[in-house]
Amino acid sequence: MCGIVGFTKKKYRSACCLEVLLNGLENLEYRGYDSAGIAVSDMEHQELKLCRAVGRISNLRRVVEEEKPEGSCGIGHTRWATHGKPSVENCHPHLAEKKTVAVVHNGIIENYQALKLQLQKEGVHFASQTDTEVVAQLLEKQYCGDMKKTLERVLPQLEGSFALAILDRNQPDTIYCARRRSPLLLAKGEDGAYLASDISALLDYTRDVWYIDEDSIAVLTPEEIMFWKDGEQQFPQSVHINWDSSAARKNGFDHFMLKEIFDQPTALRDTLNHYVDVEKGIIRRETMPFTMEQAKALKRLTIAACGTAYHAAVMGQSLLEQVAGVPAMAAVASEYRYSTMPPMEGEVFMAVSQSGETADTLAALTHKKAQGLRCLALSNVIGSTIAREADHVMYTLAGPEIAVASTKAYLTQVLLFEILALDLANLRGVLSDEELKVRIAELAQLPEQVEAILASKKTVEDFVQTQKNCHDIFFIGRLMDYASSLEAALKLKEISYLHSEAYAAGELKHGTIALVDESCLVVVTATQSVVLEKTLANMEEVRARGAELLLLGHFPVDHPHDCTVWNIPACSDQLAPILTTVYAQLFAYYMAKMHGCDIDKPRNLAKSVTVE
Ligand code: AGP
């Protein structure tokens, strides 16, 4: 989705403002966009200069090279069209009619039509179809000689969500910001002050950032950043982000997705070591969200998330029930945010989100918080909105995930559910300390087991070459294998655009089996011993309809199943779905590559969905 960057440079520093803006926008490309633009304050001519282009940042670079705007303070934006088609006119930044104000915006101004109509009645002419332009026009129209005061007057008139960065022609070294339900972070570096909607844009310059509070204003000059809320100056603490900028590069891999699949052993190790003392075989108490008393009082954990994070939640639901005996419910956040169910005594809510910014997940959390529930979050991004809103956060230590298709975030989310389930089981007295040690020793083997699967990537690649004509793929499994099948099908469809569906293996014959014929590939995941024979029987049902079969699990070399088998290393039933997922990720990746798809930036998708 849309991305914002901004920079105001100190005098006599060598940094080039245009380069910081363009580099920042390039680092935000992974979020998905269709056009991009920048605005700089040209001090000498006292004007705001715009450069905008449809398509890639390379197109914008060309425009910048041709027009050579000058300035040491500017804002930039990558746009993912919502109101108005991708075009230069609709591209951000937007200038107000008299060109005194330039605005970039993430989010949606829900009442923009009413505001636009009113402004048009007052004689204002609009140049775009966007909701954002009303903000620029309102700021210019209601300008009182002080942009902060003007913003304080304009913000209450806006409904919806926004992260705004604003240039005022009268103050060519200053950037004004404001936010409501859309992320925005600020930072000071040696060369000046920065802002961005996402830390990835700033990793080349700094690691210490400030988050702006909901409905707050920030004012950036080259030397300082000031924060204001309800007319009062605020002094928030900065947050240190421990990410390495090289982690946000491809490091020799063809795609971020493949690199991130190969990052998984490290991501699992880092996450595990943060929460668990592997040598002692204990969970680090201070990292866990429940005390013994709270664990015993827990009656239900409701988990809301979207997309891949939802699939991790489904996995979490099984783990919490099986391992800890805690009733759990995974819910799709876009539906759950409208749930009218009253909170239950002993219920705790959890939001799962890699980015920590997904609008529906945030709304579900806000809804539950308003009902008075204790709210936990599981996120990969320190200081993200969901992390800040929650009462307790468990961070996955996966590092920056750039590819739109989530891989390492998912695996570490499932690992955290494994750890949480073990901890709750131990605290509730259903798992002894000795048993816990054994389970932790199993967890500690996961990184190496994932490495072993990654080492067999050629097997996956070769199999994919035999699937050139395959356009319908079904993923079936039971219990946790069904949960991992949901993720396998999503991974494949989002990057290869092939039709893929996940079904609980026993459910197939209640309708969908009508679609199965010799043109289909059916991927059967069978790792759950309690239902193994039943899953294999379901496999025979699709074989009988002529489908080609691929079987994932642990099977002896001389297995009797007449089909391709990809084996995972020996492990418990609860950990097996983590390992089969790695095969599914590689399978999706090579299928998409064979079909020549834009793997890191699949069509129509955005990394972080910050609108409803
Ligand atoms: C993952 O491959 C997807 N692109 C998408 O489903 C994603 O998981 C979803 O939008 C939720 O994102 P979040 O984890 O950042 O909240």
Side-chain angles (χ1 to χ4, degrees):
M1 296 241 138
C2 307
I4 291 179
V5 64
F7 177 54
T8 173
K9 184 174 93 79
K10 285 182 187 164
K11 264 188 191 163
Y12 313 118
R13 300 301 299 201
S14 56
C16 167
C17 174
L18 292 175
E19 199 41 50
V20 171
L21 296 179
L22 291 168
N23 179 42
L25 292 180
E26 276 161 357
N27 288 332
L28 293 176
E29 281 193 285
Y30 77 96
R31 298 172 64 93
Y33 69 105
D34 44 54
S35 50
I38 58 162
V40 285
S41 294
D42 181 337
M43 241 183 240
E44 202 188 317
H45 302 98
Q46 287 238 322
E47 51 177 343
L48 299 173
K49 290 256 174 78
L50 288 192
C51 292
R52 303 185 293 182
V54 173
R56 296 289 193 221
I57 307 293
S58 49
N59 299 349
L60 176 63
R61 272 194 182 276
R62 271 194 291 278
V63 177
V64 170
E65 273 158 29
E66 277 161 26
E67 300 190 1
K68 300 189 176 45
E70 287 198 7
S72 61
C73 173
I75 52 179
H77 191 264
T78 46
R79 175 172 186 254
W80 189 85
T82 56
H83 296 68
K85 62 179 192 270
S87 66
V88 172
E89 302 73 52
N90 289 333
C91 196
H92 300 215
H94 289 285
L95 273 183
E97 194 175 0
K98 294 183 185 131
K99 302 186 173 33
T100 60
V101 177
V103 173
V104 293
H105 164 223
N106 284 1
I108 292 178
I109 307 297
E110 288 167 1
N111 60 336
Y112 85 101
Q113 270 169 326
L115 294 170
K116 187 169 178 174
L117 211 64
Q118 183 56 37
L119 284 161
Q120 282 170 329
K121 275 189 198 152
E122 292 168 19
V124 175
H125 293 101
F126 279 75
S128 78
Q129 301 154 311
T130 65
D131 53 335
T132 305
E133 193 184 342
V134 296
V135 182
Q137 303 288 15
L138 274 176
L139 289 169
E140 183 173 85
K141 187 86 183 151
Q142 299 185 11
Y143 189 65
C144 63
D146 176 332
M147 184 51 85
K148 182 174 88 59
K149 288 207 176 107
T150 311
L151 255 174
E152 284 167 346
R153 183 181 298 175
V154 166
L155 293 181
Q157 299 169 44
L158 306 178
E159 287 169 18
S161 58
F162 51 80
L164 296 166
I166 299 148
L167 295 181
D168 173 358
R169 191 181 63 185
N170 300 323
Q171 285 173 281
D173 68 346
T174 306
I175 305 174
Y176 289 86
C177 302
R179 70 167 280 271
R180 183 188 297 159
R181 296 202 296 277
S182 272
L184 200 57
L185 43 94
L186 313 174
K188 275 197 271 188
E190 284 181 9
D191 292 315
Y194 303 81
L195 69 99
S197 51
D198 174 333
I199 182 67
S200 314
L202 304 183
L203 285 176
D204 290 334
Y205 313 105
T206 181
R207 296 283 183 290
D208 295 301
V209 299
W210 284 268
Y211 292 92
I212 319 182
D213 241 14
E214 189 75 354
D215 276 310
S216 295
I217 293 173
V219 184
L220 283 82
T221 65
E223 308 296 335
E224 63 175 342
I225 303 178
M226 283 171 294
F227 298 87
W228 304 84
K229 186 166 184 170
D230 301 328
E232 299 282 317
Q233 190 166 359
Q234 311 281 308
F235 300 93
Q237 289 288 312
S238 64
V239 176
H240 184 74
I241 308 283
N242 208 6
W243 284 358
D244 180 356
S245 62
S246 77
R249 306 201 197 296
K250 282 192 213 154
N251 294 339
F253 285 90
D254 286 349
H255 296 95
F256 277 111
M257 183 182 175
L258 190 62
K259 185 225 163 217
E260 287 162 7
I261 291 173
F262 275 79
D263 278 348
Q264 292 183 122
T266 307
L268 289 170
R269 244 178 233 120
D270 289 349
T271 305
L272 186 65
N273 289 331
H274 181 78
Y275 291 93
V276 170
D277 185 329
V278 174
E279 265 177 38
K280 292 191 182 141
I282 54 170
I283 295 175
R284 299 183 203 278
R285 275 267 45 79
E286 69 284 5
T287 61
M288 287 288 122
F290 294 99
T291 60
M292 184 178 285
E293 205 182 323
Q294 287 169 329
K296 286 187 174 156
L298 180 63
K299 295 271 185 305
R300 181 166 79 183
L301 189 70
T302 308
I303 317 162
C306 299
T308 288
Y310 166 70
H311 296 155
V314 176
M315 204 69 103
Q317 172 184 316
S318 297
L319 287 164
L320 289 158
E321 290 181 354
Q322 280 180 35
V323 180
V326 172
M329 185 187 81
V332 169
S334 54
E335 295 288 315
Y336 191 66
R337 63 183 289 181
Y338 296 108
S339 153
T340 51
M341 284 295 288
M344 197 180 119
E345 208 195 313
E347 182 180 356
V348 170
F349 174 81
M350 180 188 258
V352 183
S353 172
Q354 185 284 129
S355 61
E357 303 296 350
T358 300
D360 286 319
T361 311
L362 176 61
L365 184 145
T366 317
H367 174 49
K368 289 289 129 180
K369 219 175 150 181
Q371 287 186 340
L373 281 193
R374 180 168 184 239
C375 291
L376 314 179
L378 207 161
S379 178
N380 193 40
V381 180
I382 295 176
S384 55
T385 311
I386 287 175
R388 281 180 292 128
E389 289 293 315
D391 299 305
H392 182 103
V393 196
M394 293 178 81
Y395 285 111
T396 46
L397 277 74
E401 191 180 65
I402 306 296
V404 165
S406 181
T407 52
K408 59 180 180 172
Y410 171 79
L411 234 57
T412 50
Q413 284 161 358
V414 178
L415 173 67
L416 271 193
F417 275 118
E418 301 264 2
I419 297 170
L420 180 63
L422 290 177
D423 191 46
L424 282 171
N426 186 242
L427 293 175
R428 287 160 72 96
V430 292
L431 190 79
S432 70
D433 290 351
E434 279 318 302
E435 286 165 327
L436 178 64
K437 275 197 181 114
V438 174
R439 304 293 287 266
I440 288 177
E442 283 171 7
L443 282 183
Q445 290 178 25
L446 267 178
E448 272 178 35
Q449 293 173 327
V450 170
E451 271 158 10
I453 295 175
L454 295 175
S456 59
K457 72 175 174 117
K458 182 82 173 49
T459 312
V460 180
E461 223 177 331
D462 290 347
F463 176 78
V464 161
Q465 289 306 315
T466 67
Q467 299 301 312
K468 285 198 174 113
N469 299 321
C470 176
H471 292 281
D472 293 291
I473 296 135
F474 292 92
F475 291 85
I476 64 170
R478 285 169 176 258
L479 304 178
M480 288 178 74
D481 289 332
Y482 169 52
S484 67
S485 296
L486 289 169
E487 176 54 10
L490 178 70
K491 213 79 305 163
L492 182 63
K493 71 178 74 143
E494 69 180 331
I495 58 167
S496 73
Y497 318 142
L498 291 168
H499 168 238
S500 56
E501 300 288 341
Y503 273 89
E507 181 65 11
L508 207 61
K509 59 176 163 289
H510 295 286
T512 308
I513 203 164
L515 296 175
V516 174
D517 62 18
E518 42 294 313
S519 70
C520 300
L521 171 67
V522 179
V523 182
V524 184
T525 306
T527 68
Q528 304 296 292
S529 31
V530 62
V531 286
L532 189 67
E533 295 310 322
K534 298 197 188 306
T535 309
L536 294 174
N538 297 136
M539 179 170 93
E540 293 312 318
E541 291 162 4
V542 290
R543 190 202 300 278
R545 272 80 192 169
E548 179 168 358
L549 296 170
L550 168 62
L551 178 59
L552 309 188
H554 350 241
F555 297 92
V557 188
D558 56 348
H559 63 83
H561 312 291
D562 181 22
C563 64
T564 306
V565 174
W566 292 346
N567 268 321
I568 56 169
C571 64
S572 70
D573 284 11
Q574 271 136 22
L575 299 186
I578 293 193
L579 298 175
T580 57
T581 296
V582 180
Y583 273 126
Q585 294 167 343
L586 289 170
F587 176 66
Y589 174 80
Y590 286 114
M591 286 292 270
K593 195 171 176 195
M594 179 174 71
H595 287 287
C597 300
D598 190 352
I599 293 179
D600 285 336
K601 300 186 202 88
R603 70 183 181 205
N604 306 337
L605 298 182
K607 181 65 183 165
S608 177
V609 183
T610 48
V611 291
E612 186 173 356

